Amino acid sequence: MFEGFKVLFVEDDPPVRMSLAQTLELAGLEVQPCGSAEEALPHIVAGAQIVVATDVRLPGMDGLTLLDHVVATDPGIPVVLITAHGDVSMAVRAMRAGAYDFIEKPFAPERFVDTLVRALDKRVLRVALDDMRSQLQKRSGIEAVLLGKSAVMQELRRKIVRLADTSADVMILGETGTGKELVARCLHDQSNRRDRNFVAINCGGLPETLFESELIGHEPGAFTSAAKRRIGKIEHANGGTLLLDEIETMPMQMQIKLLRILQERKIERLGSNEEVPVNLRVVAATKCDLRVLSDEGKFRGDLYYRLNVAVLELPPLRERREDIPLLFEHFAAQASARYGLAPPEMTPAKLRELMAHDWPGNVREIRNAADRFVLEIGELTTPTAGVAPITLAQHMDKVEKVLIEHALRQCQGRVPKVMEMLGIAKKTLYDKLHRHDIDVDKYRPG
């Protein structure tokens, strides 16, 4: 149930220890029974994938002293105290000191199991979050900007690095909120143009009457209000990168002129007969299928084929759900620093909500959700109208893939170690690797 995680159960009464350990094992939990707090100490280390369940009254070191030791070693390890009748007030004080929960004797075995399952849920999440924070801190270069460990994001980063130093113009396809401008900036920053201007213009935000003047510039007197020379966006991006966002909204007449500029790499400002050479990369971003628009006569076919050479397709967030926890953690950390607030505790239920949501607004929506989470206002996610929610089976597949990839990273791709960490047989592991299309070699050093 919780591969690689176990319950460290401390009880000095052998029959009780044996009985409750068997109860936990029958529920599918791995148990490490200990007859004393001293026997449990070697298992309690920072980052240990354990929860602790301990009787309060023990010979030698008692349960409360053991709690203090756990909190001092790793406050993220949940500790469940088992108390006798009459010790409840003491147990409440212990919870204020860092205990996760307490159970008063006598108790039903089902309650004991349920409490430890919730504690394990919390520990699994905490270990995953700590792992993600560590990954975020270790990232550099393009990996620190374009976050994601999914196969599609790894491939996207590889393509960007390969294209960066070429002279090829690039078309970026992606739904709203997938980060098209961020990808364009990565192309610029990874290229030998990085020291020159990156100029972004939203084609949908310009009035048609100003389009040519804004892009190409004008000379004094070119039209009534042209009092002085204006350098256009294309010329300003000379030597660097020009991003034309929402290019599908560019007026037809301007599309003709853009095609000529792309072919000849020269411009003529309005009111001038002098050609100005320009050396720049043009990145066109769109959420539409330009081929369809071209067939419908809404976008020039010749411009489409001129742009449709180096194409980067950005996957929607719903197609890379394994990246959701990492992105949310990143944006929550940013929001926490921006607002000067500590983020609330991320619970397993909230993580399940994040993983189940369809994210129609993609990365932009998850960033807004992280802001709301830190500010503790509104719902974490909002229902997606007309979109079928992810099924339980799909959700469990995603979680299973994340856990396997986490184990592979921890073990540097060593299959025997992964089998041991996950507690599964070799054939089972390889079946899961094949089903989730996971390449073990990517996790092996060098």
Side-chain angles (χ1 to χ4, degrees):
M1 184 184 294
F2 296 97
E3 287 90 349
F5 290 78
K6 63 184 176 184
V7 177
L8 191 62
F9 177 42
V10 186
E11 168 60 60
D12 63 313
D13 187 327
V16 174
R17 184 170 66 247
M18 182 180 297
S19 173
L20 289 177
Q22 287 178 346
T23 298
L24 294 173
E25 287 169 350
L26 287 171
L29 308 182
E30 183 179 348
V31 185
Q32 175 65 58
C34 299
S36 68
E38 290 81 2
E39 185 183 341
L41 290 179
H43 301 280
I44 300 169
V45 295
Q49 296 182 344
I50 60 170
V51 300
V52 178
T54 179
D55 199 347
V56 170
R57 300 186 183 280
L58 296 168
M61 179 187 291
D62 64 18
L64 295 178
T65 307
L66 181 61
L67 166 65
D68 291 340
H69 176 79
V70 173
V71 172
T73 303
D74 185 341
I77 297 176
V79 178
V80 176
L81 297 174
I82 302 170
T83 68
H85 181 69
D87 286 341
V88 174
S89 61
M90 174 271 297
V92 171
R93 289 195 301 273
M95 288 185 68
R96 292 196 186 109
Y100 171 73
D101 204 348
F102 71 93
I103 303 178
E104 185 183 5
K105 297 177 182 177
F107 51 81
E110 294 79 9
R111 188 186 166 205
F112 185 55
V113 171
D114 180 63
T115 301
L116 288 168
V117 165
R118 285 188 287 105
L120 281 164
D121 259 335
K122 180 183 174 71
R123 185 57 180 161
V124 168
L125 179 59
R126 179 61 180 266
V127 168
L129 289 175
D130 288 345
D131 181 53
M132 283 186 286
R133 290 186 185 117
S134 174
Q135 289 179 48
L136 287 169
Q137 290 169 357
K138 291 177 183 175
R139 289 175 188 270
S140 60
I142 191 171
E143 287 195 353
V145 180
L146 282 181
L147 297 176
K149 58 190 178 184
S150 58
V152 287
M153 289 305 293
Q154 292 178 37
E155 177 65 11
L156 175 62
R157 289 192 293 264
R158 188 184 65 80
K159 287 181 178 178
I160 290 171
V161 171
R162 191 175 70 243
L163 284 172
D165 276 335
T166 71
S167 60
D169 296 324
V170 177
M171 183 160 65
I172 302 175
L173 304 177
E175 295 180 4
T176 298
T178 48
K180 295 185 287 293
E181 181 169 346
L182 185 63
V183 168
R185 285 187 178 275
C186 281
L187 270 169
H188 177 77
D189 292 341
Q190 295 292 314
S191 75
N192 50 22
R193 300 175 182 272
R194 66 181 69 87
D195 295 328
R196 304 303 293 269
N197 291 332
F198 175 88
V199 180
I201 186 166
N202 188 311
C203 299
L206 279 178
E208 188 169 343
T209 52
L210 297 179
F211 219 107
E212 188 170 358
S213 173
E214 188 72 18
L215 251 66
I216 300 177
H218 61 253
E219 295 290 341
F223 46 87
T224 305
S225 59
K228 59 181 181 179
R229 171 183 285 181
R230 175 181 173 80
I231 300 298
K233 298 292 188 185
I234 293 176
E235 195 173 349
H236 184 53
N238 194 12
T241 304
L242 175 70
L243 168 64
L244 297 172
D245 200 6
E246 297 187 22
I247 195 171
E248 71 277 5
T249 64
M250 180 178 283
M252 279 290 185
Q253 283 301 111
M254 195 61 222
Q255 290 181 32
I256 297 171
K257 296 186 178 183
L258 176 63
L259 178 62
R260 184 165 178 259
I261 291 167
L262 291 176
Q263 289 171 339
E264 299 183 7
R265 300 292 160 164
K266 296 176 182 177
I267 62 165
E268 281 184 25
R269 301 188 200 101
L270 289 173
S272 172
N273 293 321
E274 181 184 349
E275 290 186 329
V276 179
V278 287
N279 170 20
L280 77 165
R281 162 179 275 145
V282 174
V283 180
T286 179
K287 61 180 180 293
C288 300
D289 187 332
L290 296 184
R291 173 66 183 272
V292 172
L293 293 182
S294 171
D295 292 342
E296 294 173 351
K298 297 176 182 177
F299 193 84
R300 287 192 63 88
D302 46 8
L303 178 57
Y304 164 71
Y305 287 111
R306 181 67 179 75
L307 293 171
N308 190 42
V309 178
V311 180
L312 297 174
E313 295 190 39
L314 308 193
L317 198 50
R318 63 182 174 274
E319 291 181 6
R320 55 181 186 111
R321 290 183 188 272
E322 57 266 51
D323 292 336
I324 289 172
L326 183 69
L327 287 166
F328 189 83
E329 172 68 21
H330 170 70
F331 291 129
Q334 285 188 338
S336 179
R338 187 165 59 249
Y339 301 124
L341 296 170
E345 181 184 9
M346 172 57 72
T347 64
K350 287 177 182 174
L351 181 60
R352 283 192 289 270
E353 182 184 351
L354 292 175
M355 293 294 288
H357 187 56
D358 212 55
W359 302 107
N362 293 295
V363 177
R364 185 178 299 138
E365 183 184 0
I366 201 169
R367 181 170 56 236
N368 293 341
D371 275 30
R372 290 196 302 274
F373 175 68
V374 170
L375 294 170
E376 297 189 85
I377 54 173
E379 296 296 323
L380 196 57
T381 60
T382 54
T384 305
V387 179
I390 183 173
T391 65
L392 178 61
Q394 289 170 327
H395 171 67
M396 294 309 295
D397 273 350
K398 294 290 182 184
V399 172
E400 183 177 73
K401 184 178 181 182
V402 169
L403 289 173
I404 292 172
E405 290 176 333
H406 168 70
L408 284 166
R409 278 193 300 276
Q410 294 288 99
C411 301
Q412 297 184 310
R414 295 193 294 265
V415 169
K417 290 286 186 183
V418 174
M419 291 162 48
E420 182 181 346
M421 177 179 283
L422 298 179
I424 56 178
K426 185 175 183 179
K427 183 180 184 304
T428 303
L429 176 59
Y430 275 101
D431 285 345
K432 292 179 185 296
L433 291 171
H434 177 72
R435 183 156 59 88
H436 294 302
D437 194 26
I438 297 172
D439 183 1
V440 176
D441 290 337
K442 290 182 179 179
Y443 299 89
R444 288 172 177 150

